[in-house]
Amino acid sequence: KEEKKKEVEEQSKEEEIKIVQIPEVITVRELADLLDIPVNQILMDLLKRKILATVNQTIDPKIAIEIAEEHGFLAELKEEGVEEEKEAEEEILSEEAAEEGNLVPRPPVVVVMGHVDHGKTTLLDTIRKTDVAAKEHGGITQHIGAYKIKLPNGKEITFLDTPGHEAFTTLRARGSKVADIAILVVAADDGVKPQTVEAINHAKSAKVPIVVAVNKIDKPGADPMRVRQELTQYGLIPEEWGGDTIFVDVSAKTGKNVEELLEMVLLVAEMLELKANPNRPAVGTVIESKLDPKKGPVATVLVENGTLKVGDYFVAGYTWGKVKALLNERGERLKEAGPGTPVEVLGFEEVPQAGDKFIVKASEREAKQLAEIRKLRREEELLAKKTRIHLENLSEVKEVNIIIKADTQGSLEALRKSIEELSNKFSEVSINIIHGAVGGITESDVMLAAASNAIIIGFNVRPDAGARKAAEEENVDIRVYNIIYQALEDLEKAMKGMLAPTYREVLLGTAEVRATFKAKSIGTIAGCYVTDGVIKRNAKARLVRNGVVIYDGEINSLKRFKDDVKEVQKGFECGLTLKNFNDIKVGDIIEAYEVVEERPQ
């Protein structure tokens, strides 16, 4: 009877223990509600720990767990990281929506890139004039970094009005694939220039399809065919020549063929099948941001999926807020913004960064909590920058991206060819030269390297002050040389470190099983005599019976008499157990061995 009473008491005690999950961000009041304990009691518990707090103050989750356990709870930390994983699951959510038939086509997001003075700005101005809404409302009055145009056929295109490919790459460096299509503007009277090549490499690195606009066809000396010929060297082969790149000859000044260019953009967009679900909370990207003296922190947000509404709570990067107002590029107030729409958002607590993911949350608490968690995890992001690829730490990767900058075209080609030959020599390792150009190392090169996790190699050139500062902030490896073979020597050494190591088995010793003992809690213990070499604890082991390998695993424990030992030499007896194996018989041979890693020299 007494035993039964004890069992009942123990069961009742177990029932009394309640399991609670403590979130990473929790206030005093929230902890009191979670534990169903008066707030004053929690404040007293904190005072015992010399912590003076208010009811709305956040407390360390470890302290919260300690307090919960003091009050008879079994507490554990709640994995809030799942919330952040929702960002990565946006595509999955879209696919689920597709099954429900909620997906609708969205406007393509286009970025215009190219060499300076080739007519990017003029082309954008001409495109603006084709906007039906702009004609109705008297033109665009406000610069918000992006705008949406409506064509006479009723279709829409969103343009990123960013200053060149540098801003485009900065967004990508922060993990945002904003643009769907790139328009590459090349002047017909000037041909391919260094910034044209940079723009091609930036777009290719981002895996964005390119539509080429051959501009200034109305100027004397214009030669659109020469442009096509030059671009074939960079993998952009016109459709009429059997390639897959769309070329359109335009004049941004007169507007000739601009509408045809836009039609081609819509054609590419159709092939990409760009769709979104407007019937879900909004997800987007911050294009640019500023601190306005009158409005406070404001940012241009490109809504990529869902519908953003006034009054929505949101989180963007490390900050959060509530949408107070939405303004379009004409300064008009909107009640909501659907997929593919750029809007200026008012209501941020702090100024976000360009490239931050913008996500609408169900409540203020959720938005605030996620922003707090991200602040706590900012160190992980800084750590990721520290682990960018450098020549010294290539052992964990199988491919490396390289950017080459040289003083002359001859040097550039010589270095490119030598590196490609080196890549062929080491077939297990892939070297991708994502960009090569003549001139000094610029901030644009560093941003491309940061976005692509690349190493910059300079030959007879130096990084400018902006590039050095950016490289330090982004932890990008810049190597400068004035002798080609030194660059190749350093790369070869690094690549040898990237090669998969070979593994060699080294036999340590053998032992013969002369007796076996069974222990209830341990299993089968083998009484052995070491016939050769040495038997080491935690070494790998094989059990051989009549010449056949019965077991291949590890030695679990090793003893001499009753004492644990690290090793037993030839001619001595020992007792050992094998990891997860008990079928040991007298006469079995146990071979102890280790695997040695050998890297190429």
Side-chain angles (χ1 to χ4, degrees):
K1 285 182 180 179
E2 287 178 5
E3 284 178 3
K4 282 184 179 179
K5 275 184 181 180
K6 283 181 182 178
E7 282 179 16
V8 170
E9 284 174 9
E10 283 174 5
Q11 283 176 1
S12 62
K13 280 180 183 177
E14 284 176 11
E15 286 170 8
E16 284 173 17
I17 296 172
K18 294 177 184 176
I19 299 171
V20 291
Q21 288 193 322
I22 306 291
E24 288 186 47
V25 179
I26 190 166
T27 64
V28 174
R29 189 186 295 281
E30 287 167 352
L31 181 61
D33 292 343
L34 186 65
L35 304 180
D36 198 19
I37 292 171
V39 174
N40 290 342
Q41 182 60 54
I42 303 292
L43 293 171
M44 289 295 290
D45 291 337
L46 288 168
L47 276 173
K48 287 176 190 174
R49 291 169 171 78
K50 297 180 181 178
I51 298 170
L52 188 63
T54 61
V55 290
N56 294 319
Q57 191 171 320
T58 56
I59 55 175
D60 190 312
K62 290 178 183 175
I63 302 290
I65 288 170
E66 284 178 17
I67 292 171
E69 287 174 348
E70 282 178 11
H71 290 280
F73 290 86
L74 184 62
E76 58 184 25
L77 189 65
K78 186 179 179 183
E79 288 294 330
E80 293 282 347
V82 175
E83 290 293 323
E84 287 193 281
E85 285 174 20
K86 285 183 182 176
E87 293 176 44
E89 291 171 6
E90 292 309 327
E91 293 301 318
I92 296 167
L93 288 169
S94 296
E95 287 168 12
E96 287 173 358
E99 292 171 4
E100 297 165 18
N102 289 331
L103 286 189
V104 296
R106 67 164 174 82
V109 179
V110 178
V111 62
V112 178
M113 302 195 289
H115 191 71
V116 67
D117 293 334
H118 275 204
K120 295 193 299 290
T121 307
T122 310
L123 180 62
L124 284 167
D125 287 341
T126 306
I127 287 168
R128 278 191 178 100
K129 289 170 189 172
T130 65
D131 183 14
V132 175
K135 288 173 186 172
E136 290 172 1
H137 296 85
I140 292 170
T141 57
Q142 188 174 345
H143 174 77
I144 68 166
Y147 57 89
K148 187 163 71 171
I149 66 159
K150 189 173 184 179
L151 300 174
N153 62 7
K155 293 191 176 180
E156 296 175 322
I157 302 175
T158 299
F159 282 89
L160 290 183
D161 193 6
T162 54
H165 51 261
E166 292 87 352
F168 165 74
T169 307
T170 303
L171 291 174
R172 197 166 67 82
R174 293 190 55 76
S176 300
K177 186 186 180 303
V178 185
D180 300 308
I181 301 166
I183 293 178
L184 178 69
V185 181
V186 189
D189 64 331
D190 204 13
V192 174
K193 291 293 176 187
Q195 276 188 300
T196 313
V197 178
E198 274 190 28
I200 293 167
N201 291 329
H202 283 241
K204 280 188 173 180
S205 183
K207 294 182 174 62
V208 174
I210 298 170
V211 175
V212 180
V214 183
N215 193 23
K216 302 187 181 182
I217 57 168
D218 53 331
K219 286 191 73 175
D223 188 355
M225 286 302 149
R226 187 185 69 149
V227 172
R228 284 166 169 76
Q229 186 65 49
E230 288 177 349
L231 285 175
T232 57
Q233 298 174 36
Y234 303 99
L236 300 181
I237 300 164
E239 284 186 327
E240 59 264 35
W241 293 3
D244 56 3
T245 305
I246 295 172
F247 279 70
V248 183
D249 296 337
V250 301
S251 170
K253 196 173 182 182
T254 64
K256 184 179 180 181
N257 293 341
V258 170
E259 285 189 18
E260 187 188 332
L261 174 67
L262 297 177
E263 283 173 18
M264 290 298 113
V265 167
L266 289 171
L267 180 67
V268 174
E270 276 181 33
M271 291 163 65
L272 293 173
E273 294 184 346
L274 304 169
K275 292 184 178 181
N277 176 12
N279 303 316
R280 52 151 295 157
V283 176
T285 300
V286 175
I287 303 299
E288 57 181 37
S289 58
K290 61 184 177 181
L291 184 63
D292 191 283
K294 295 177 182 176
K295 301 175 185 173
V298 293
T300 300
V301 174
L302 176 66
V303 180
E304 293 164 316
N305 206 354
T307 301
L308 180 62
K309 300 170 184 173
V310 174
D312 281 346
Y313 291 100
F314 62 84
V315 61
Y318 306 116
T319 187
W320 66 283
K322 182 183 179 182
V323 179
K324 293 178 182 174
L326 296 172
L327 303 171
N328 67 9
E329 63 270 17
R330 289 178 291 278
E332 299 164 347
R333 282 184 174 259
L334 305 175
K335 289 183 178 179
E336 59 180 42
T341 306
V343 281
E344 190 172 75
V345 178
L346 279 66
F348 285 85
E349 287 291 309
E350 298 171 31
V351 178
Q353 288 183 286
D356 280 347
K357 207 70 183 165
F358 180 98
I359 302 171
V360 168
K361 305 302 288 183
S363 65
E364 180 182 358
R365 184 180 177 277
E366 276 187 49
K368 196 173 181 181
Q369 194 172 45
L370 184 52
E372 287 291 330
I373 290 166
R374 286 180 173 181
K375 283 179 181 176
L376 291 171
R377 295 187 177 177
R378 195 179 295 189
E379 290 178 12
E380 289 178 19
E381 189 179 302
L382 295 172
L383 186 64
K385 282 187 180 179
K386 288 179 184 175
T387 54
R388 285 207 198 279
I389 286 184
H390 286 226
L391 279 185
E392 294 89 350
N393 65 358
L394 292 180
S395 58
E396 299 302 317
V397 295
K398 285 293 164 221
E399 65 175 291
V400 58
N401 294 329
I402 288 178
I403 293 169
I404 306 172
K405 296 300 289 282
D407 56 341
T408 64
Q409 192 65 36
S411 301
L412 176 66
E413 291 307 319
L415 195 54
R416 184 195 292 271
K417 191 176 178 183
S418 300
I419 289 172
E420 283 171 356
E421 286 173 1
L422 192 63
S423 181
N424 295 333
K425 183 179 173 183
F426 296 95
S427 57
E428 291 180 41
V429 180
S430 172
I431 292 186
N432 305 317
I433 300 171
I434 61 169
H435 178 54
V438 173
I441 298 165
T442 64
E443 192 173 345
S444 171
D445 297 322
V446 174
M447 295 316 294
L448 176 58
S452 310
N453 203 8
I455 295 167
I456 299 174
I457 291 178
F459 182 74
N460 281 338
V461 292
R462 309 291 298 176
D464 59 27
R468 278 198 299 270
K469 187 181 177 185
E472 195 175 321
E473 286 175 358
E474 297 293 333
N475 193 26
V476 168
D477 191 11
I478 299 177
R479 300 295 176 113
V480 289
Y481 301 93
N482 51 18
I483 300 171
I484 285 181
Y485 82 81
Q486 285 182 347
L488 297 174
E489 201 175 66
D490 282 2
L491 262 177
E492 188 168 352
K493 284 179 186 173
M495 286 174 71
K496 280 179 178 174
M498 290 166 70
L499 290 174
T502 55
Y503 294 96
R504 185 168 57 87
E505 188 181 292
V506 177
L507 185 65
L508 298 173
T510 56
E512 183 186 341
V513 179
R514 294 191 171 176
T516 59
F517 313 93
K518 294 197 186 295
K520 193 175 181 180
S521 58
I522 300 169
T524 304
I525 301 165
C528 301
Y529 177 78
V530 182
T531 56
D532 193 28
V534 61
I535 304 294
K536 291 184 178 180
R537 189 176 66 204
N538 299 331
K540 291 189 174 294
R542 264 191 297 267
L543 186 137
V544 182
R545 185 177 299 159
N546 300 324
V548 179
V549 176
I550 304 296
Y551 165 83
D552 196 343
E554 290 177 22
I555 292 172
N556 199 33
S557 64
L558 184 65
K559 289 179 182 279
R560 278 273 298 154
F561 302 106
K562 291 183 179 180
D563 300 324
D564 285 310
V565 289
K566 288 184 179 179
E567 60 180 50
V568 179
Q569 298 285 341
K570 176 184 175 181
F572 289 92
E573 293 179 341
C574 63
L576 61 83
T577 59
L578 298 176
K579 198 170 186 179
N580 302 324
F581 187 77
N582 292 314
D583 183 23
I584 306 171
K585 295 179 180 178
V586 174
D588 288 347
I589 301 296
I590 293 172
E591 294 179 351
Y593 68 96
E594 62 184 7
V595 176
V596 178
E597 181 185 301
E598 290 182 340
R599 287 199 170 270
Q601 295 300 314

